[in-house]
């Protein structure tokens, strides 16, 4: 029995005579579209510029080819792998009555018997086989990613920016510490408020001051760290304001529940909730 919200196989039975199937290999400069068109023996492959309207015209043209071959298309199913382009194309297609799916990239089985050639043509064939098996409701072909709304995606941005900024702050601090250690200076905390003022008084084990170019670099790194730290505080302040304004809202209620039950801080609770949102 199929589970509720099971994205490992289609919830709708496949009618191969009335379904036009297409997969897209997305890249920065072009899209390679491969299709399975009922009544058409050849399996078409078309390279397009990055243009959603051209893609829609192509799908409609293939539908007309199926109609000429005596097949009335009732369903157009399109899929592509999750990647840099995100979910906008799937939302755009769905708004135009095209069934669009986003394949979880790590769920597509790849042969490990030998080194696999990497070409867009081979990738589309692999995607076609995986997507066709998924549409047939067979197991272990691929899994789909739940397609979020624009609002859902936007709600995740603060968490992801916060995570990125925390990592950047750590990299800056580690770089400053490494710079000082190369000069033999240990035990100096570059995160202190008066760290910039104390730079001129620091001495190497040889009794020499920090060389001018290195000192200038450290001052710039300290300025970057202060900027990043201020941005982190802004995000955390905005998060607390959102919780105050809508404490019972769906994700906010989960954050409060995690903070209360598990006993973690608001930042950690929101991070855990954001991690849950990224699960496929």
């Amino acid at each position: 029995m199929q589970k509720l919200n099971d994205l490992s196989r289609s919830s709708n039975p496949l009618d191969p005579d009335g379904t036009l199937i297409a997969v897209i290999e997305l890249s920065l400069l072009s899209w390679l579209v491969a299709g399975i068109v009922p009544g058409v023996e050849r399996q078409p492959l078309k390279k397009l510029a990055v243009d959603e309207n051209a893609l829609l015209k192509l799908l409609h043209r293939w539908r007309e080819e199926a109609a000429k071959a005596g097949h009335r298309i009732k369903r157009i199913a399109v899929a592509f792998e999750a990647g840099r382009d995100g979910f906008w194309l799937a939302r755009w297609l769905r708004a135009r009555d095209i069934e669009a799916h986003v394949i979880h990239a790590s769920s597509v089985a790849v042969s490990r018997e030998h080194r696999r050639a990497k070409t867009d043509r081979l990738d589309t064939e692999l995607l076609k086989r995986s997507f066709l098996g998924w549409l047939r409701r067979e197991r272990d072909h691929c899994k789909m990613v739940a397609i979020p709304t624009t609002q859902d995606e936007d709600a995740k941005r603060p968490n992801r920016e916060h995570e990125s900024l925390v990592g950047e702050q750590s990299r800056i601090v580690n770089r400053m510490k490494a710079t000082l250690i190369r000069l033999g200076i240990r035990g100096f905390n570059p995160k202190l408020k008066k760290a910039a003022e104390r730079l001129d008084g620091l001495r190497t084990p040889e009794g020499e001051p920090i060389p001018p170019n290195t000192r200038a670099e450290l001052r710039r790194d300290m300025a970057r760290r202060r900027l990043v730290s201020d941005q982190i505080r802004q995000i955390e302040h905005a998060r607390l304001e959102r919780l105050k304004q809508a404490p019972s809202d769906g994700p906010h209620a989960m954050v409060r529940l995690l903070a209360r039950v598990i006993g973690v801080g608001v930042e950690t609770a929101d991070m855990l909730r954001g991690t849950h949102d990224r699960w496929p």
Side-chain angles (χ1 to χ4, degrees), residues 218-234:
L218 287 168
R219 291 189 187 281
R220 286 190 290 270
D221 276 340
M222 288 178 181
R224 288 190 195 99
R225 194 200 70 81
R226 285 194 297 271
L227 174 61
V228 171
S229 181
D230 287 342
Q231 291 176 340
I232 290 172
R233 282 195 293 271
Q234 289 171 17

Side-chain angles (χ1 to χ4, degrees), residues 172-269:
I172 293 171
V173 171
N174 290 338
R175 186 166 64 240
M176 287 191 287
K177 288 181 177 180
T179 298
L180 291 169
I181 288 172
R182 281 197 298 271
L183 296 173
I185 300 173
R186 298 175 182 271
F188 179 76
N189 186 355
K191 296 186 290 184
L192 294 175
K193 286 185 178 180
K194 295 185 178 181
E197 300 173 14
R198 294 180 56 193
L199 277 180
D200 291 337
L202 288 179
R203 293 292 183 270
T204 68
E206 295 90 347
E208 298 290 332
I210 298 176
N213 289 334
T214 303
R215 189 165 59 247
E217 178 188 348
L218 287 168
R219 291 189 187 281
R220 286 190 290 270
D221 276 340
M222 288 178 181
R224 288 190 195 99
R225 194 200 70 81
R226 285 194 297 271
L227 174 61
V228 171
S229 181
D230 287 342
Q231 291 176 340
I232 290 172
R233 282 195 293 271
Q234 289 171 17
I235 293 171
E236 292 172 351
H237 177 73
R239 174 194 291 141
L240 291 174
E241 287 299 315
R242 288 194 300 272
L243 285 171
K244 290 177 183 177
Q245 292 173 9
S248 300
D249 191 34
H252 295 166
M254 183 183 291
V255 170
R256 288 183 173 276
L257 181 63
L258 285 169
R260 185 171 67 251
V261 174
I262 303 179
V264 297
V266 171
E267 287 79 13
T268 304

Side-chain angles (χ1 to χ4, degrees), residues 136-174:
R136 289 171 175 164
R137 308 172 79 177
E138 299 170 358
R139 293 180 179 275
D140 303 324
H141 280 281
C142 63
K143 291 182 180 179
M144 299 299 169
V145 181
I147 298 175
T149 64
T150 304
Q151 291 74 21
D152 289 338
E153 285 197 288
D154 188 61
K156 297 175 183 178
R157 296 315 307 166
N159 272 341
R160 295 182 179 180
E161 184 185 6
H162 185 276
E163 182 180 345
S164 175
L165 288 172
V166 168
E168 185 176 349
Q169 180 176 241
S170 296
R171 286 191 294 273
I172 293 171
V173 171
N174 290 338

Side-chain angles (χ1 to χ4, degrees), residues 31-102:
W31 292 344
L32 188 65
V33 189
I36 301 176
V37 183
V40 177
E41 186 173 348
R42 67 179 177 84
Q43 294 195 357
L45 185 69
K46 179 70 174 178
K47 190 172 187 177
L48 300 175
V50 179
D51 184 348
E52 61 274 16
N53 291 300
L55 172 64
L56 189 62
K57 288 179 182 177
L58 177 65
L59 295 173
H60 288 169
R61 193 180 80 205
W62 286 350
R63 181 175 61 186
E64 291 170 3
E65 289 183 22
K68 290 177 182 177
H71 292 262
R72 181 172 174 268
I73 299 299
K74 302 175 184 177
R75 178 186 183 189
I76 301 178
V78 177
F80 54 89
E81 279 188 306
R84 182 190 59 247
D85 287 86
F87 302 96
W88 73 268
L89 181 58
R91 288 192 294 263
W92 189 88
L93 289 169
R94 287 185 174 188
R96 286 152 183 81
D97 298 321
I98 305 294
E99 181 183 327
H101 301 279
V102 179

